[in-house]
Amino acid sequence: MAKHFDTQALDRYFAAMADPTRRAVLERLTQGPASVSELHAPHAMALPSFLRHLRVLEEGGLIATEKQGRVRMARIEARPVRAAEDWLAQLRRQWETRLDRLDALSEALEQTAKGDAP
Amino acid sequence: MAKHFDTQALDRYFAAMADPTRRAVLERLTQGPASVSELHAPHAMALPSFLRHLRVLEEGGLIATEKQGRVRMARIEARPVRAAEDWLAQLRRQWETRLDRLDALSEALEQTAKGDAP
DNA sequence: GAAATGCTTAGCCATGTCGCTAACTATTTG
DNA sequence: CAAATAGTTAGCGACATGGCTAAGCATTTC
């Protein structure tokens, strides 16, 4: 039942998400592709510093970029976001399944108690 | 529509997830509470190093621990996992919404093209 | 073709992360 | 109470991360 996840990929995905600048870039990119300058504009940070964030996102496969003339355009990539979401969902489901079993168990015990009562 | 997320909390959640040892601990804890030693056993790592991971998880609010005698028991916490999952889901939804609008737009353009044809 | 634009590289610094060992404290247990 | 058990604290070293400035390299644009 449990899906296999690429551990190193998850490392990179989650690490990429663990920064507000990078999350903001992803949110911006949900509205469509943008150039490096456009993405950089809202962030009070030197361009080289910002570019580093973009590279982290790209190396993590969260975005793809392509150079057109002197402009580099970036767009969001679907799969990694889904992979991270799936991992969390699976974690939650495992946990909920266990809680359900505990519920079932305590109900069963209750029944048994009634049956066994003197 | 967009929920507000606590940025620093998301930083800690995602950072905590960005490590295989910590993800393994979370997976183990979906099956029920465990002591520090039990959690440590499968990991080829000195105990102090492992304890650091547990502290990261606890400071991020992903787990809660309690000392009982000389044993410290740990259990998973629901909310942060949900928060991270929700953030990713929101991101995906925004993005899908945009793709849907693009689909709608291209359909509309197609219709217009037919109507406008000579 | 000179100048502006848009990105890129190189290199520095401060801080954070992840592993380790050694030594210590607190609680059972024999 | 002595010894084993279960964590804990302190401190070290290697490397990663996130910011900066300065300088360089293509590609428009005038």
Side-chain angles (χ1 to χ4, degrees):
Chain A
M1 255 297 166
K3 280 199 223 164
H4 322 331
F5 291 99
D6 178 343
T7 306
Q8 297 189 8
L10 283 176
D11 287 1
R12 284 194 300 268
Y13 302 160
F14 282 122
M17 302 284 193
D19 182 284
T21 301
R22 292 194 290 259
R23 284 197 305 274
V25 167
L26 286 178
E27 283 184 337
R28 164 64 187 80
L29 286 179
T30 61
Q31 297 169 16
S35 71
V36 167
S37 313
E38 283 166 354
L39 292 173
H40 172 234
H43 299 280
M45 173 185 304
L47 185 58
S49 311
F50 182 76
L51 252 161
R52 220 175 173 64
H53 287 298
L54 283 190
R55 217 179 312 147
V56 170
L57 286 169
E58 185 162 20
E59 283 173 359
L62 290 140
I63 67 171
T65 75
E66 193 190 352
K67 194 135 189 188
Q68 298 170 357
R70 66 182 167 180
V71 175
R72 180 174 292 278
M73 297 299 291
R75 60 188 161 74
I76 201 170
E77 284 285 305
R79 281 177 213 185
V81 174
R82 291 248 168 82
E85 206 182 341
D86 287 353
W87 189 85
L88 290 170
Q90 176 177 306
L91 188 72
R92 182 176 46 71
R93 273 198 304 272
Q94 282 174 2
W95 184 55
E96 281 172 354
T97 301
R98 182 203 148 234
L99 292 184
D100 288 350
R101 275 200 297 262
L102 285 183
D103 282 353
L105 181 63
S106 64
E107 265 182 52
L109 285 175
E110 222 169 290
Q111 290 304 321
T112 307
K114 278 179 189 161
D116 288 355
Chain B
M1 256 299 164
K3 280 201 225 164
H4 322 330
F5 291 99
D6 177 342
T7 306
Q8 298 189 8
L10 283 176
D11 287 1
R12 284 193 300 267
Y13 303 159
F14 283 122
M17 303 283 193
D19 182 283
T21 301
R22 292 193 291 258
R23 284 196 305 274
V25 168
L26 286 178
E27 285 184 336
R28 165 61 187 81
L29 286 178
T30 61
Q31 296 170 15
S35 71
V36 168
S37 311
E38 282 167 354
L39 292 173
H40 173 233
H43 299 280
M45 172 184 306
L47 185 58
S49 311
F50 182 75
L51 253 161
R52 220 178 174 63
H53 287 299
L54 283 190
R55 217 180 312 148
V56 170
L57 287 169
E58 185 161 22
E59 283 172 0
L62 290 142
I63 67 170
T65 75
E66 192 190 353
K67 193 136 187 188
Q68 299 170 357
R70 68 184 166 179
V71 175
R72 180 174 292 278
M73 296 298 291
R75 59 189 162 73
I76 201 169
E77 284 285 304
R79 281 176 213 186
V81 174
R82 291 248 166 81
E85 204 182 343
D86 287 353
W87 190 85
L88 290 171
Q90 176 176 306
L91 187 73
R92 182 177 46 72
R93 274 198 304 272
Q94 282 174 4
W95 183 55
E96 281 172 353
T97 302
R98 182 201 149 236
L99 292 184
D100 287 350
R101 275 201 298 263
L102 285 183
D103 281 353
L105 181 62
S106 66
E107 265 183 51
L109 285 174
E110 221 170 289
Q111 288 304 320
T112 306
K114 280 177 187 164
D116 287 357

